PDB file of all heavy atoms in Angstrom:
ATOM      1  N   GLY A  99     386.970 266.474 -14.805  1.00  0.00           N
ATOM      2  CA  GLY A  99     386.042 265.693 -15.628  1.00  0.00           C
ATOM      3  C   GLY A  99     384.712 265.608 -14.905  1.00  0.00           C
ATOM      4  O   GLY A  99     384.281 266.486 -14.175  1.00  0.00           O
ATOM      5  N   GLY A 100     384.014 264.445 -15.112  1.00  0.00           N
ATOM      6  CA  GLY A 100     382.689 264.249 -14.520  1.00  0.00           C
ATOM      7  C   GLY A 100     382.663 264.349 -13.031  1.00  0.00           C
ATOM      8  O   GLY A 100     381.850 265.125 -12.462  1.00  0.00           O
ATOM      9  N   ILE A 101     383.572 263.697 -12.343  1.00  0.00           N
ATOM     10  CA  ILE A 101     383.623 263.738 -10.886  1.00  0.00           C
ATOM     11  C   ILE A 101     384.187 265.052 -10.386  1.00  0.00           C
ATOM     12  O   ILE A 101     383.596 265.766  -9.540  1.00  0.00           O
ATOM     13  CB  ILE A 101     384.471 262.558 -10.334  1.00  0.00           C
ATOM     14  CG1 ILE A 101     383.862 261.208 -10.696  1.00  0.00           C
ATOM     15  CG2 ILE A 101     384.668 262.682  -8.807  1.00  0.00           C
ATOM     16  CD1 ILE A 101     382.491 260.922 -10.061  1.00  0.00           C
ATOM     17  N   GLY A 102     385.368 265.428 -10.840  1.00  0.00           N
ATOM     18  CA  GLY A 102     386.019 266.626 -10.376  1.00  0.00           C
ATOM     19  C   GLY A 102     385.216 267.926 -10.644  1.00  0.00           C
ATOM     20  O   GLY A 102     385.047 268.760  -9.765  1.00  0.00           O
ATOM     21  N   ALA A 103     384.686 268.051 -11.832  1.00  0.00           N
ATOM     22  CA  ALA A 103     383.884 269.256 -12.168  1.00  0.00           C
ATOM     23  C   ALA A 103     382.623 269.289 -11.325  1.00  0.00           C
ATOM     24  O   ALA A 103     382.159 270.369 -10.945  1.00  0.00           O
ATOM     25  CB  ALA A 103     383.600 269.318 -13.637  1.00  0.00           C
ATOM     26  N   TYR A 104     382.012 268.117 -11.086  1.00  0.00           N
ATOM     27  CA  TYR A 104     380.808 268.095 -10.241  1.00  0.00           C
ATOM     28  C   TYR A 104     381.083 268.667  -8.846  1.00  0.00           C
ATOM     29  O   TYR A 104     380.432 269.583  -8.423  1.00  0.00           O
ATOM     30  CB  TYR A 104     380.220 266.689 -10.138  1.00  0.00           C
ATOM     31  CG  TYR A 104     379.003 266.666  -9.209  1.00  0.00           C
ATOM     32  CD1 TYR A 104     377.728 266.983  -9.641  1.00  0.00           C
ATOM     33  CD2 TYR A 104     379.183 266.327  -7.880  1.00  0.00           C
ATOM     34  CE1 TYR A 104     376.643 267.014  -8.837  1.00  0.00           C
ATOM     35  CE2 TYR A 104     378.053 266.320  -7.021  1.00  0.00           C
ATOM     36  CZ  TYR A 104     376.821 266.662  -7.510  1.00  0.00           C
ATOM     37  OH  TYR A 104     375.758 266.644  -6.655  1.00  0.00           O
ATOM     38  N   PHE A 105     382.115 268.164  -8.220  1.00  0.00           N
ATOM     39  CA  PHE A 105     382.430 268.617  -6.857  1.00  0.00           C
ATOM     40  C   PHE A 105     382.938 270.064  -6.879  1.00  0.00           C
ATOM     41  O   PHE A 105     382.616 270.855  -6.014  1.00  0.00           O
ATOM     42  CB  PHE A 105     383.452 267.698  -6.183  1.00  0.00           C
ATOM     43  CG  PHE A 105     382.753 266.446  -5.643  1.00  0.00           C
ATOM     44  CD1 PHE A 105     383.018 265.195  -6.221  1.00  0.00           C
ATOM     45  CD2 PHE A 105     381.896 266.475  -4.569  1.00  0.00           C
ATOM     46  CE1 PHE A 105     382.376 264.065  -5.787  1.00  0.00           C
ATOM     47  CE2 PHE A 105     381.252 265.373  -4.124  1.00  0.00           C
ATOM     48  CZ  PHE A 105     381.518 264.144  -4.710  1.00  0.00           C
ATOM     49  N   GLY A 106     383.737 270.422  -7.885  1.00  0.00           N
ATOM     50  CA  GLY A 106     384.202 271.768  -8.003  1.00  0.00           C
ATOM     51  C   GLY A 106     383.082 272.750  -8.203  1.00  0.00           C
ATOM     52  O   GLY A 106     383.003 273.839  -7.592  1.00  0.00           O
ATOM     53  N   GLY A 107     382.102 272.400  -9.021  1.00  0.00           N
ATOM     54  CA  GLY A 107     380.944 273.213  -9.251  1.00  0.00           C
ATOM     55  C   GLY A 107     380.085 273.402  -7.990  1.00  0.00           C
ATOM     56  O   GLY A 107     379.671 274.532  -7.715  1.00  0.00           O
ATOM     57  N   ARG A 108     379.907 272.332  -7.255  1.00  0.00           N
ATOM     58  CA  ARG A 108     379.125 272.384  -6.021  1.00  0.00           C
ATOM     59  C   ARG A 108     379.802 273.275  -5.009  1.00  0.00           C
ATOM     60  O   ARG A 108     379.158 274.106  -4.315  1.00  0.00           O
ATOM     61  CB  ARG A 108     378.874 271.001  -5.442  1.00  0.00           C
ATOM     62  CG  ARG A 108     377.875 270.183  -6.251  1.00  0.00           C
ATOM     63  CD  ARG A 108     376.461 270.628  -6.038  1.00  0.00           C
ATOM     64  NE  ARG A 108     375.568 269.890  -6.872  1.00  0.00           N
ATOM     65  CZ  ARG A 108     374.461 270.358  -7.367  1.00  0.00           C
ATOM     66  NH1 ARG A 108     374.072 271.555  -7.066  1.00  0.00           N
ATOM     67  NH2 ARG A 108     373.681 269.604  -8.078  1.00  0.00           N
ATOM     68  N   LEU A 109     381.088 273.128  -4.875  1.00  0.00           N
ATOM     69  CA  LEU A 109     381.861 273.947  -3.937  1.00  0.00           C
ATOM     70  C   LEU A 109     381.822 275.429  -4.344  1.00  0.00           C
ATOM     71  O   LEU A 109     381.628 276.285  -3.491  1.00  0.00           O
ATOM     72  CB  LEU A 109     383.332 273.441  -3.820  1.00  0.00           C
ATOM     73  CG  LEU A 109     383.524 272.145  -3.079  1.00  0.00           C
ATOM     74  CD1 LEU A 109     384.952 271.630  -3.339  1.00  0.00           C
ATOM     75  CD2 LEU A 109     383.301 272.338  -1.610  1.00  0.00           C
ATOM     76  N   ALA A 110     382.003 275.716  -5.620  1.00  0.00           N
ATOM     77  CA  ALA A 110     381.963 277.101  -6.134  1.00  0.00           C
ATOM     78  C   ALA A 110     380.563 277.674  -5.891  1.00  0.00           C
ATOM     79  O   ALA A 110     380.468 278.869  -5.485  1.00  0.00           O
ATOM     80  CB  ALA A 110     382.367 277.130  -7.594  1.00  0.00           C
ATOM     81  N   ALA A 111     379.539 276.923  -6.096  1.00  0.00           N
ATOM     82  CA  ALA A 111     378.189 277.450  -5.933  1.00  0.00           C
ATOM     83  C   ALA A 111     377.919 277.780  -4.449  1.00  0.00           C
ATOM     84  O   ALA A 111     377.120 278.614  -4.117  1.00  0.00           O
ATOM     85  CB  ALA A 111     377.143 276.464  -6.450  1.00  0.00           C
ATOM     86  N   ALA A 112     378.665 277.098  -3.555  1.00  0.00           N
ATOM     87  CA  ALA A 112     378.504 277.355  -2.129  1.00  0.00           C
ATOM     88  C   ALA A 112     379.419 278.481  -1.626  1.00  0.00           C
ATOM     89  O   ALA A 112     379.458 278.759  -0.474  1.00  0.00           O
ATOM     90  CB  ALA A 112     378.854 276.041  -1.348  1.00  0.00           C
ATOM     91  N   GLY A 113     380.148 279.085  -2.558  1.00  0.00           N
ATOM     92  CA  GLY A 113     380.948 280.273  -2.228  1.00  0.00           C
ATOM     93  C   GLY A 113     382.463 279.984  -2.014  1.00  0.00           C
ATOM     94  O   GLY A 113     383.197 280.908  -1.617  1.00  0.00           O
ATOM     95  N   VAL A 114     382.884 278.778  -2.239  1.00  0.00           N
ATOM     96  CA  VAL A 114     384.307 278.419  -2.084  1.00  0.00           C
ATOM     97  C   VAL A 114     385.096 278.906  -3.324  1.00  0.00           C
ATOM     98  O   VAL A 114     384.582 278.839  -4.447  1.00  0.00           O
ATOM     99  CB  VAL A 114     384.485 276.878  -1.893  1.00  0.00           C
ATOM    100  CG1 VAL A 114     385.987 276.511  -1.851  1.00  0.00           C
ATOM    101  CG2 VAL A 114     383.758 276.389  -0.677  1.00  0.00           C
ATOM    102  N   ASP A 115     386.291 279.381  -3.115  1.00  0.00           N
ATOM    103  CA  ASP A 115     387.172 279.845  -4.210  1.00  0.00           C
ATOM    104  C   ASP A 115     387.721 278.591  -4.868  1.00  0.00           C
ATOM    105  O   ASP A 115     388.617 277.900  -4.290  1.00  0.00           O
ATOM    106  CB  ASP A 115     388.260 280.717  -3.609  1.00  0.00           C
ATOM    107  CG  ASP A 115     389.223 281.211  -4.683  1.00  0.00           C
ATOM    108  OD1 ASP A 115     389.025 280.947  -5.923  1.00  0.00           O
ATOM    109  OD2 ASP A 115     390.145 281.917  -4.286  1.00  0.00           O
ATOM    110  N   VAL A 116     387.219 278.206  -6.034  1.00  0.00           N
ATOM    111  CA  VAL A 116     387.605 276.965  -6.737  1.00  0.00           C
ATOM    112  C   VAL A 116     388.249 277.289  -8.093  1.00  0.00           C
ATOM    113  O   VAL A 116     387.736 278.136  -8.827  1.00  0.00           O
ATOM    114  CB  VAL A 116     386.351 276.080  -6.989  1.00  0.00           C
ATOM    115  CG1 VAL A 116     386.734 274.852  -7.765  1.00  0.00           C
ATOM    116  CG2 VAL A 116     385.720 275.705  -5.666  1.00  0.00           C
ATOM    117  N   ALA A 117     389.308 276.600  -8.431  1.00  0.00           N
ATOM    118  CA  ALA A 117     389.896 276.634  -9.754  1.00  0.00           C
ATOM    119  C   ALA A 117     389.964 275.200 -10.289  1.00  0.00           C
ATOM    120  O   ALA A 117     390.273 274.256  -9.546  1.00  0.00           O
ATOM    121  CB  ALA A 117     391.292 277.213  -9.685  1.00  0.00           C
ATOM    122  N   LEU A 118     389.630 275.041 -11.552  1.00  0.00           N
ATOM    123  CA  LEU A 118     389.601 273.744 -12.198  1.00  0.00           C
ATOM    124  C   LEU A 118     390.844 273.642 -13.119  1.00  0.00           C
ATOM    125  O   LEU A 118     391.184 274.578 -13.832  1.00  0.00           O
ATOM    126  CB  LEU A 118     388.358 273.592 -13.052  1.00  0.00           C
ATOM    127  CG  LEU A 118     387.007 273.751 -12.334  1.00  0.00           C
ATOM    128  CD1 LEU A 118     385.866 273.560 -13.335  1.00  0.00           C
ATOM    129  CD2 LEU A 118     386.896 272.758 -11.160  1.00  0.00           C
ATOM    130  N   ILE A 119     391.428 272.419 -13.113  1.00  0.00           N
ATOM    131  CA  ILE A 119     392.498 272.121 -14.040  1.00  0.00           C
ATOM    132  C   ILE A 119     391.935 271.039 -14.994  1.00  0.00           C
ATOM    133  O   ILE A 119     391.556 269.942 -14.583  1.00  0.00           O
ATOM    134  CB  ILE A 119     393.742 271.568 -13.327  1.00  0.00           C
ATOM    135  CG1 ILE A 119     394.235 272.648 -12.356  1.00  0.00           C
ATOM    136  CG2 ILE A 119     394.848 271.225 -14.326  1.00  0.00           C
ATOM    137  CD1 ILE A 119     395.282 272.158 -11.367  1.00  0.00           C
ATOM    138  N   ALA A 120     391.835 271.443 -16.244  1.00  0.00           N
ATOM    139  CA  ALA A 120     391.215 270.576 -17.290  1.00  0.00           C
ATOM    140  C   ALA A 120     392.037 270.653 -18.555  1.00  0.00           C
ATOM    141  O   ALA A 120     393.137 271.218 -18.534  1.00  0.00           O
ATOM    142  CB  ALA A 120     389.801 270.977 -17.535  1.00  0.00           C
ATOM    143  N   ARG A 121     391.550 270.080 -19.591  1.00  0.00           N
ATOM    144  CA  ARG A 121     392.260 270.133 -20.862  1.00  0.00           C
ATOM    145  C   ARG A 121     391.304 270.046 -22.038  1.00  0.00           C
ATOM    146  O   ARG A 121     390.095 269.738 -21.884  1.00  0.00           O
ATOM    147  CB  ARG A 121     393.294 268.982 -20.947  1.00  0.00           C
ATOM    148  CG  ARG A 121     392.708 267.603 -20.824  1.00  0.00           C
ATOM    149  CD  ARG A 121     393.793 266.540 -20.764  1.00  0.00           C
ATOM    150  NE  ARG A 121     393.165 265.229 -20.553  1.00  0.00           N
ATOM    151  CZ  ARG A 121     393.822 264.178 -20.273  1.00  0.00           C
ATOM    152  NH1 ARG A 121     395.120 264.179 -20.143  1.00  0.00           N
ATOM    153  NH2 ARG A 121     393.218 263.027 -20.100  1.00  0.00           N
ATOM    154  N   GLY A 122     391.809 270.324 -23.219  1.00  0.00           N
ATOM    155  CA  GLY A 122     391.059 270.150 -24.439  1.00  0.00           C
ATOM    156  C   GLY A 122     389.831 271.041 -24.576  1.00  0.00           C
ATOM    157  O   GLY A 122     389.746 272.154 -24.061  1.00  0.00           O
ATOM    158  N   ALA A 123     388.836 270.486 -25.279  1.00  0.00           N
ATOM    159  CA  ALA A 123     387.592 271.203 -25.609  1.00  0.00           C
ATOM    160  C   ALA A 123     386.854 271.542 -24.258  1.00  0.00           C
ATOM    161  O   ALA A 123     386.182 272.604 -24.191  1.00  0.00           O
ATOM    162  CB  ALA A 123     386.688 270.373 -26.516  1.00  0.00           C
ATOM    163  N   HIS A 124     386.926 270.698 -23.283  1.00  0.00           N
ATOM    164  CA  HIS A 124     386.243 270.912 -22.040  1.00  0.00           C
ATOM    165  C   HIS A 124     386.844 272.160 -21.334  1.00  0.00           C
ATOM    166  O   HIS A 124     386.131 273.044 -20.869  1.00  0.00           O
ATOM    167  CB  HIS A 124     386.400 269.694 -21.143  1.00  0.00           C
ATOM    168  CG  HIS A 124     385.614 269.772 -19.830  1.00  0.00           C
ATOM    169  ND1 HIS A 124     384.301 270.028 -19.764  1.00  0.00           N
ATOM    170  CD2 HIS A 124     386.035 269.566 -18.583  1.00  0.00           C
ATOM    171  CE1 HIS A 124     383.896 270.015 -18.491  1.00  0.00           C
ATOM    172  NE2 HIS A 124     384.912 269.758 -17.731  1.00  0.00           N
ATOM    173  N   LEU A 125     388.166 272.278 -21.321  1.00  0.00           N
ATOM    174  CA  LEU A 125     388.831 273.444 -20.786  1.00  0.00           C
ATOM    175  C   LEU A 125     388.433 274.740 -21.560  1.00  0.00           C
ATOM    176  O   LEU A 125     388.020 275.757 -20.917  1.00  0.00           O
ATOM    177  CB  LEU A 125     390.332 273.314 -20.881  1.00  0.00           C
ATOM    178  CG  LEU A 125     391.169 274.566 -20.489  1.00  0.00           C
ATOM    179  CD1 LEU A 125     390.850 275.022 -19.107  1.00  0.00           C
ATOM    180  CD2 LEU A 125     392.665 274.323 -20.732  1.00  0.00           C
ATOM    181  N   ARG A 126     388.394 274.680 -22.862  1.00  0.00           N
ATOM    182  CA  ARG A 126     388.034 275.866 -23.650  1.00  0.00           C
ATOM    183  C   ARG A 126     386.614 276.266 -23.324  1.00  0.00           C
ATOM    184  O   ARG A 126     386.312 277.486 -23.219  1.00  0.00           O
ATOM    185  CB  ARG A 126     388.267 275.616 -25.124  1.00  0.00           C
ATOM    186  CG  ARG A 126     389.735 275.539 -25.485  1.00  0.00           C
ATOM    187  CD  ARG A 126     389.980 275.399 -26.996  1.00  0.00           C
ATOM    188  NE  ARG A 126     389.440 274.233 -27.578  1.00  0.00           N
ATOM    189  CZ  ARG A 126     390.075 273.021 -27.561  1.00  0.00           C
ATOM    190  NH1 ARG A 126     391.256 272.894 -27.018  1.00  0.00           N
ATOM    191  NH2 ARG A 126     389.518 271.997 -28.165  1.00  0.00           N
ATOM    192  N   ALA A 127     385.679 275.347 -23.183  1.00  0.00           N
ATOM    193  CA  ALA A 127     384.313 275.681 -22.878  1.00  0.00           C
ATOM    194  C   ALA A 127     384.202 276.275 -21.452  1.00  0.00           C
ATOM    195  O   ALA A 127     383.407 277.212 -21.250  1.00  0.00           O
ATOM    196  CB  ALA A 127     383.407 274.443 -23.009  1.00  0.00           C
ATOM    197  N   LEU A 128     384.947 275.684 -20.485  1.00  0.00           N
ATOM    198  CA  LEU A 128     384.906 276.225 -19.156  1.00  0.00           C
ATOM    199  C   LEU A 128     385.390 277.648 -19.121  1.00  0.00           C
ATOM    200  O   LEU A 128     384.816 278.504 -18.431  1.00  0.00           O
ATOM    201  CB  LEU A 128     385.795 275.347 -18.228  1.00  0.00           C
ATOM    202  CG  LEU A 128     385.345 273.967 -17.897  1.00  0.00           C
ATOM    203  CD1 LEU A 128     386.461 273.145 -17.294  1.00  0.00           C
ATOM    204  CD2 LEU A 128     384.063 273.969 -17.093  1.00  0.00           C
ATOM    205  N   GLN A 129     386.462 277.952 -19.839  1.00  0.00           N
ATOM    206  CA  GLN A 129     387.001 279.310 -19.929  1.00  0.00           C
ATOM    207  C   GLN A 129     386.037 280.293 -20.622  1.00  0.00           C
ATOM    208  O   GLN A 129     385.895 281.453 -20.218  1.00  0.00           O
ATOM    209  CB  GLN A 129     388.380 279.290 -20.629  1.00  0.00           C
ATOM    210  CG  GLN A 129     389.426 278.591 -19.837  1.00  0.00           C
ATOM    211  CD  GLN A 129     390.681 278.387 -20.617  1.00  0.00           C
ATOM    212  OE1 GLN A 129     390.674 278.171 -21.842  1.00  0.00           O
ATOM    213  NE2 GLN A 129     391.820 278.469 -19.931  1.00  0.00           N
ATOM    214  N   ALA A 130     385.313 279.838 -21.616  1.00  0.00           N
ATOM    215  CA  ALA A 130     384.497 280.719 -22.386  1.00  0.00           C
ATOM    216  C   ALA A 130     383.101 280.924 -21.754  1.00  0.00           C
ATOM    217  O   ALA A 130     382.577 282.015 -21.811  1.00  0.00           O
ATOM    218  CB  ALA A 130     384.264 280.107 -23.857  1.00  0.00           C
ATOM    219  N   ASP A 131     382.535 279.863 -21.172  1.00  0.00           N
ATOM    220  CA  ASP A 131     381.123 279.959 -20.717  1.00  0.00           C
ATOM    221  C   ASP A 131     380.908 279.447 -19.315  1.00  0.00           C
ATOM    222  O   ASP A 131     379.764 279.276 -18.891  1.00  0.00           O
ATOM    223  CB  ASP A 131     380.279 279.218 -21.737  1.00  0.00           C
ATOM    224  CG  ASP A 131     378.791 279.517 -21.595  1.00  0.00           C
ATOM    225  OD1 ASP A 131     378.475 280.671 -21.329  1.00  0.00           O
ATOM    226  OD2 ASP A 131     377.984 278.580 -21.744  1.00  0.00           O
ATOM    227  N   GLY A 132     381.947 279.118 -18.543  1.00  0.00           N
ATOM    228  CA  GLY A 132     381.767 278.619 -17.227  1.00  0.00           C
ATOM    229  C   GLY A 132     381.372 277.146 -17.181  1.00  0.00           C
ATOM    230  O   GLY A 132     381.333 276.438 -18.202  1.00  0.00           O
ATOM    231  N   LEU A 133     381.066 276.683 -15.984  1.00  0.00           N
ATOM    232  CA  LEU A 133     380.692 275.276 -15.763  1.00  0.00           C
ATOM    233  C   LEU A 133     379.178 275.183 -15.552  1.00  0.00           C
ATOM    234  O   LEU A 133     378.593 275.984 -14.851  1.00  0.00           O
ATOM    235  CB  LEU A 133     381.365 274.728 -14.527  1.00  0.00           C
ATOM    236  CG  LEU A 133     381.011 273.345 -14.069  1.00  0.00           C
ATOM    237  CD1 LEU A 133     381.354 272.290 -15.095  1.00  0.00           C
ATOM    238  CD2 LEU A 133     381.643 273.039 -12.726  1.00  0.00           C
ATOM    239  N   HIS A 134     378.572 274.180 -16.209  1.00  0.00           N
ATOM    240  CA  HIS A 134     377.161 273.906 -16.071  1.00  0.00           C
ATOM    241  C   HIS A 134     376.997 272.474 -15.476  1.00  0.00           C
ATOM    242  O   HIS A 134     377.586 271.577 -16.080  1.00  0.00           O
ATOM    243  CB  HIS A 134     376.462 273.995 -17.406  1.00  0.00           C
ATOM    244  CG  HIS A 134     376.789 275.240 -18.112  1.00  0.00           C
ATOM    245  ND1 HIS A 134     376.305 276.494 -17.747  1.00  0.00           N
ATOM    246  CD2 HIS A 134     377.654 275.487 -19.136  1.00  0.00           C
ATOM    247  CE1 HIS A 134     376.788 277.421 -18.533  1.00  0.00           C
ATOM    248  NE2 HIS A 134     377.668 276.847 -19.339  1.00  0.00           N
ATOM    249  N   VAL A 135     376.295 272.365 -14.387  1.00  0.00           N
ATOM    250  CA  VAL A 135     376.059 271.062 -13.821  1.00  0.00           C
ATOM    251  C   VAL A 135     374.534 270.784 -13.883  1.00  0.00           C
ATOM    252  O   VAL A 135     373.764 271.642 -13.389  1.00  0.00           O
ATOM    253  CB  VAL A 135     376.533 270.983 -12.325  1.00  0.00           C
ATOM    254  CG1 VAL A 135     376.160 269.654 -11.689  1.00  0.00           C
ATOM    255  CG2 VAL A 135     378.018 271.201 -12.274  1.00  0.00           C
ATOM    256  N   ARG A 136     374.154 269.675 -14.443  1.00  0.00           N
ATOM    257  CA  ARG A 136     372.752 269.307 -14.508  1.00  0.00           C
ATOM    258  C   ARG A 136     372.547 268.084 -13.560  1.00  0.00           C
ATOM    259  O   ARG A 136     373.237 267.097 -13.734  1.00  0.00           O
ATOM    260  CB  ARG A 136     372.372 268.937 -15.956  1.00  0.00           C
ATOM    261  CG  ARG A 136     372.590 270.079 -16.923  1.00  0.00           C
ATOM    262  CD  ARG A 136     371.705 271.279 -16.581  1.00  0.00           C
ATOM    263  NE  ARG A 136     372.065 272.496 -17.328  1.00  0.00           N
ATOM    264  CZ  ARG A 136     372.580 273.551 -16.788  1.00  0.00           C
ATOM    265  NH1 ARG A 136     372.825 273.623 -15.504  1.00  0.00           N
ATOM    266  NH2 ARG A 136     372.890 274.628 -17.487  1.00  0.00           N
ATOM    267  N   SER A 137     371.668 268.240 -12.638  1.00  0.00           N
ATOM    268  CA  SER A 137     371.530 267.218 -11.575  1.00  0.00           C
ATOM    269  C   SER A 137     370.127 267.240 -10.975  1.00  0.00           C
ATOM    270  O   SER A 137     369.555 268.288 -10.875  1.00  0.00           O
ATOM    271  CB  SER A 137     372.556 267.530 -10.436  1.00  0.00           C
ATOM    272  OG  SER A 137     372.324 266.732  -9.323  1.00  0.00           O
ATOM    273  N   PRO A 138     369.631 266.071 -10.568  1.00  0.00           N
ATOM    274  CA  PRO A 138     368.385 266.028  -9.844  1.00  0.00           C
ATOM    275  C   PRO A 138     368.469 266.747  -8.496  1.00  0.00           C
ATOM    276  O   PRO A 138     367.457 267.132  -7.921  1.00  0.00           O
ATOM    277  CB  PRO A 138     368.096 264.567  -9.618  1.00  0.00           C
ATOM    278  CG  PRO A 138     369.254 263.796 -10.159  1.00  0.00           C
ATOM    279  CD  PRO A 138     370.184 264.746 -10.820  1.00  0.00           C
TER     280      PRO A 138
END
């Protein structure tokens, strides 16, 4: 979710092999289009 995906995204962007466990519409969007993190 908000916390887990944020840290997972940051780790993945740094080159770490990351897999996310999610559910519902969020899971389907992650599978179809990846993760997007918007942050200052």
Side-chain angles (χ1 to χ4, degrees):
I101 298 294
Y104 176 82
F105 283 110
R108 290 284 177 210
L109 288 167
V114 176
D115 181 2
V116 176
L118 303 179
I119 301 168
R121 59 187 177 190
H124 187 53
L125 171 60
R126 291 187 295 278
L128 292 168
Q129 291 170 325
D131 195 37
L133 173 65
H134 311 285
V135 176
R136 301 298 169 248
S137 170

